[in-house]
């Protein structure tokens, strides 16, 4: 990416290239995918949601989620990656974070930019452990977690949701900042909504007004206008989630709309360029996580990456039925 003018932003205890970031996505924001979006200009990315108990049990799969790649290192020894963790209690949260940082130190020179706490995931497999969005109902634990991570010396970023009552939302966010949070990302759906319905931007706007300079936003970001609306309401950053999968080039498109310098080749790449990017991403995932994982992730991102390109319907059909990476790569070559 040629992009972005040198004007950086300082927020959440970090100095970042811009205000458009990649949200944590379970099963998606692996190191190769983060690297892909970093090349498209993401000012910040997140790991998948990582289990602190998995880290404390020396689970190899969990530890592999801590890998950082060279493209993610924009700030000398630091990266542009937030390590997002989940746990149902403060003790395992802090010990898990310590274990993760120790593994990170052994893996290579790059370090995580910040520590993140997931207080937003609404799925039962997470909330039944007292983690994710369940922490919205356990303010003392949420506060203790935030304070504990803050003691480790890195900025602390919390991702949470709105409550049905705006007063409860504001009270919870205030508690997080009092405990030391450097940034709180608001997803504008309540936990019972999960991922249905629409994100409540009015509640996000009210929270941003109450805590100026500290609130970022996510939820229903599919257009450059969505990014602009969140920023105009006072959010310091916008996290792309499902919108990034629906159109990865939303990221450079939004940067351009904000007046940042982005090449046309990044905003609207030719079909051949998009296919090449997919092949390179598939190879990167294969080398790090294996061929089967590469097939799964390319299927997730293919439609959005090739949106509007001729022949996409037939390509999606053919890719959809393959389970073999070599065949998938041949399809991407032939279609090019």
């Amino acid at each position: 990416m040629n992009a972005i003018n040198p004007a950086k932003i300082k927020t959440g205890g970090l100095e970042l290239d811009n205000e458009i970031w990649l949200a944590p996505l379970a099963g998606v924001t692996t190191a190769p995918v983060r690297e892909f979006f970093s090349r498209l200009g993401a000012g910040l990315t997140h790991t998948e949601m990582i289990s602190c108990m998995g880290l404390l049990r020396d689970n190899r799969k969990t530890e592999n989620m801590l890998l950082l790649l060279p493209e993610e290192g924009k700030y000398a020894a630091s990266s542009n990656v937030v390590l997002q963790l989940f746990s149902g209690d403060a003790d395992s949260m802090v010990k898990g974070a310590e274990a993760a940082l120790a593994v990170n130190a052994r893996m290579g020179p790059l370090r995580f930019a910040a520590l993140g706490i997931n207080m937003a995931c609404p799925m039962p497999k997470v909330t039944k452990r007292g983690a994710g969005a369940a922490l919205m109902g356990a303010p003392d634990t949420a506060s203790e977690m935030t304070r504990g991570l803050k003691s480790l010396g890195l900025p602390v970023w919390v991702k949470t949701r709105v409550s049905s009552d705006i007063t409860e939302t504001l009270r919870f966010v205030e508690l997080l900042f009092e405990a030391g949070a450097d940034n709180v990302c608001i997803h504008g759906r309540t936990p019972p909504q999960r991922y249905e319905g629409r994100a409540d931007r009015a509640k996000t706007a009210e929270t941003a007004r109450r805590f100026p300079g500290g609130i970022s936003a996510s939820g229903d970001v599919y257009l450059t206008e969505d990014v602009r609306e969140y920023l105009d309401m006072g959010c310091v950053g916008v996290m792309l989630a499902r919108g990034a999968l629906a159109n990865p080039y939303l990221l450079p498109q939004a940067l351009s709309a904000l007046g940042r310098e982005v090449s046309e080749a990044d905003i609207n790449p030719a079909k051949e360029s998009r296919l090449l990017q997919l092949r390179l991403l598939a190879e990167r995932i294969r080398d790090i996580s294996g061929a089967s994982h590469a097939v799964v992730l390319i299927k997730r991102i293919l439609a959005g990456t090739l949106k509007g390109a001729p022949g996409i319907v037939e390509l999606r059909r053919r890719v959809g039925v393959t389970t073999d990476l070599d065949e998938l790569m041949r399809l991407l070559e032939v279609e090019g």
Side-chain angles (χ1 to χ4, degrees):
M1 167 134 186
N2 294 320
I4 48 195
N5 65 33
K8 295 180 180 290
I9 63 169
K10 292 184 178 180
T11 186
L14 302 174
E15 185 176 72
L16 304 172
D17 281 344
N18 60 66
E19 54 276 270
I20 306 180
W21 310 325
L22 181 65
L25 288 164
V28 175
T29 50
T30 60
V33 174
R34 296 195 310 265
E35 184 181 55
F36 173 79
F37 280 99
S38 291
R39 288 172 176 160
L40 289 176
L44 190 77
T45 66
H46 290 73
T47 66
E48 299 178 77
M49 191 171 63
I50 297 176
S51 166
C52 286
M53 290 308 299
L55 290 165
L56 294 176
R57 292 169 181 157
D58 296 320
N59 183 291
R60 180 58 60 87
K61 181 179 178 181
T62 303
E63 290 188 358
N64 288 342
M65 296 167 73
L66 302 174
L67 176 67
L68 294 173
L69 296 176
E71 184 72 18
E72 301 182 281
K74 293 185 176 181
Y75 316 113
S78 183
S79 68
N80 66 338
V81 184
V82 177
L83 169 62
Q84 176 142 135
L85 303 166
F86 78 97
S87 175
D89 68 275
D91 185 59
S92 64
M93 171 63 70
V94 175
K95 289 179 178 177
E98 291 174 331
L101 294 177
V103 172
N104 177 224
R106 295 197 302 268
M107 289 179 109
L110 289 181
R111 298 291 181 266
F112 290 106
L115 297 173
I117 307 175
N118 187 292
M119 300 187 188
C121 181
M123 303 311 292
K125 66 181 181 180
V126 173
T127 57
K128 71 181 181 182
R129 304 181 193 178
L135 288 164
M136 295 172 62
D140 290 343
T141 301
S143 179
E144 189 179 355
M145 279 185 180
T146 305
R147 191 174 294 108
L149 286 200
K150 187 69 174 178
S151 71
L152 300 183
L154 287 175
V156 175
W157 287 47
V158 180
K159 191 169 189 289
T160 190
R161 287 178 170 244
V162 296
S163 300
S164 56
D165 183 348
I166 184 60
T167 302
E168 292 181 9
T169 301
L170 297 175
R171 186 181 300 120
F172 185 70
V173 172
E174 182 176 31
L175 174 149
L176 295 174
F177 280 122
E178 288 176 347
D182 293 276
N183 181 278
V184 176
C185 177
I186 300 294
H187 181 99
R189 290 181 176 84
T190 64
Q193 280 183 275
R194 296 192 185 179
Y195 300 100
E196 302 299 324
R198 295 285 298 173
D200 189 335
R201 295 188 182 182
K203 287 178 181 174
T204 301
E206 176 62 26
T207 309
R209 284 193 294 269
R210 182 68 64 88
F211 305 100
I215 301 298
S216 53
S218 73
D220 299 333
V221 185
Y222 292 98
L223 304 170
T224 58
E225 292 83 357
D226 297 324
V227 174
R228 172 57 71 186
E229 183 177 349
Y230 277 126
L231 294 175
D232 286 347
M233 66 177 60
C235 297
V236 295
V238 181
M239 295 192 190
L240 309 187
R242 288 180 291 176
L245 299 182
N247 175 19
Y249 304 104
L250 172 61
L251 212 162
Q253 289 163 4
L255 288 173
S256 177
L258 293 175
R260 294 186 175 270
E261 184 182 349
V262 184
S263 74
E264 182 61 30
D266 289 316
I267 296 172
N268 187 26
K271 181 182 179 183
E272 292 74 17
S273 177
R274 297 178 187 223
L275 287 166
L276 175 60
Q277 289 176 346
L278 284 172
R279 293 196 299 270
L280 293 175
L281 177 58
E283 291 173 352
R284 195 70 157 144
I285 299 170
R286 177 201 62 201
D287 293 345
I288 292 172
S289 305
S292 60
H293 195 202
V295 172
V296 170
L297 282 180
I298 294 301
K299 286 183 177 183
R300 290 285 303 272
I301 202 171
L302 181 139
T305 305
L306 295 175
K307 187 176 182 180
I312 178 60
V313 174
E314 176 60 16
L315 178 58
R316 285 183 64 182
R317 185 192 68 78
R318 296 170 68 183
V319 168
V321 297
T322 187
T323 58
D324 181 75
L325 180 59
D326 290 337
E327 181 183 357
L328 185 148
M329 296 291 276
R330 285 194 296 272
L331 288 171
L332 296 179
E333 285 278 6
V334 170
E335 291 296 326

